Structures are given as C-alpha cells and as structure tokens.
Amino acid sequence: AVATGEASLTFHSKKKIDKDDVAEIIKKADIFENVAELIPLGGKPVYYVLDGAIKTYDPVGNIASKLTGLVSFSFMKSTFRNSVAPILMEKGITKIVYVNGCEAQASFVTQSMFGAAGHAIILDIGHITTNVTLCGGNGVLFGKTFALGSGYLASDLCQVIGCDFNYAMSILEKVN
C-alpha cells in the first residue's frame, strides 16, 4: 500500500540544503514509523518546496530558510512478511527483499520517459487484476489494485457476443 506524508524544516537563517536535511524531511514525513502491524518499504520524495515558493525535485545545494517535502511511502502488513519469510527460508531462500511492484514500475516509467519532473498514470492490466498507479517525482502518489483483469473482460465478452474464450482474448489483444 502507499500513502504520502509532508514535513517541513525551518532553519534559523538561510542555509545551503544538504543530504542530511533531505534525510530528515523523509524521516519526519514517515507516518508509519510507529505502527507495529506495518513494515515500511521506504520513502521516496515526490517534490520539495524551498521557502514556501520554489518547487524542486532535488533541493541539495540550494539556499533556503525553509524546506518542505512531499514524500511517498510504501508499506506492507507484517502478517504478510511473517507468513511468507518462513516458507522461503525453509526452501533455502535466505536473501529476501520486499519491494512495492507498482513503485518500481512507476519509478522506471517516469524516470525514463519524463525525468524527475514528470507525472504519469500507469495502468497494468493483468489476467485477473488491474493496477492503477499515479506517480510523480520519485514517488507514488496513489496506487490501487482491483480484481478486474483481461480474463474477466474476456469472460464478459463471451457472454455478451456469444463467442469462445480464446476468440474474446484475441479481441482484447488487439486493443492492447
């Protein structure tokens, strides 16, 4: 799942923003830090605002007296990890990394097609489910998965036009 958080740092006077300031913004924006049933998968900055006026995707090196950041956080339920990890370890898989698949797609698409300043909506229509992801900057702004994939659409086509399943799937492949 995905959620966004916002945080600000106000300095006593104008200063040059560094990596530590960015890390502090991400830490302060983390709304899931003390939620036992959720395991964070990391925070990714969407954008920053310098002195309440200048929007940037990389504030390091800029001079400002206030830094605000919108940060996208992915997390998973600890019950998922607690049930999957023992099974994998029993099979000899000891190096386990959990990632948000929608975030990985979003990062790749926005960075390769639009750069850090871009926004994109990614629709990943699978056989059983569809993922919709709104991404911007380096993070995910919204993510939703629902049970309506090409298999369901093909089944509906079979019922409506009275064709067999393979023919309905071939129709959908032409739309893709």
Side-chain angles (χ1 to χ4, degrees):
V2 175
T4 57
E6 187 175 275
S8 294
L9 293 175
T10 303
F11 309 109
H12 295 295
S13 61
K14 289 195 177 273
K15 72 165 268 189
K16 190 173 190 177
I17 306 296
D18 59 28
K19 290 180 183 179
D20 292 337
D21 299 321
V22 169
E24 190 172 342
I25 285 284
I26 292 171
K27 184 172 174 43
K28 281 181 73 173
D30 188 353
I31 58 177
F32 298 107
E33 186 176 58
N34 296 316
V35 181
E37 64 271 5
L38 300 176
I39 297 170
L41 298 176
K44 304 270 191 205
V46 177
Y47 63 80
Y48 299 93
V49 179
L50 303 169
D51 291 328
I54 302 167
K55 187 176 181 182
T56 182
Y57 297 96
D58 184 11
V60 174
N62 288 290
I63 296 175
S65 58
K66 183 177 180 182
L67 176 64
T68 302
L70 179 67
V71 183
S72 171
F73 292 94
S74 296
F75 60 92
M76 70 176 172
K77 291 186 176 182
S78 57
T79 54
F80 175 79
R81 186 203 53 196
N82 295 344
S83 62
V84 170
I87 295 167
L88 294 174
M89 293 177 90
E90 184 179 297
K91 299 294 182 190
I93 301 169
T94 57
K95 185 171 180 152
I96 305 166
V97 178
Y98 300 95
V99 297
N100 179 325
C102 293
E103 183 178 298
Q105 288 177 335
S107 180
F108 174 76
V109 169
T110 54
Q111 294 300 315
S112 63
M113 296 179 73
F114 305 111
H119 285 74
I121 295 176
I122 300 171
L123 296 172
D124 180 4
I125 303 170
H127 189 71
I128 303 296
T129 61
T130 296
N131 295 312
V132 179
T133 307
L134 170 63
C135 48
N138 291 319
V140 174
L141 298 170
F142 173 82
K144 182 77 174 175
T145 299
F146 51 92
L148 179 61
S150 61
Y152 289 112
L153 296 172
S155 177
D156 291 344
L157 279 174
C158 290
Q159 291 177 9
V160 171
I161 64 174
C163 64
D164 71 357
F165 186 78
N166 290 334
Y167 181 73
M169 285 300 290
S170 69
I171 292 171
L172 290 174
E173 288 170 5
K174 289 179 172 64
V175 174
N176 261 344

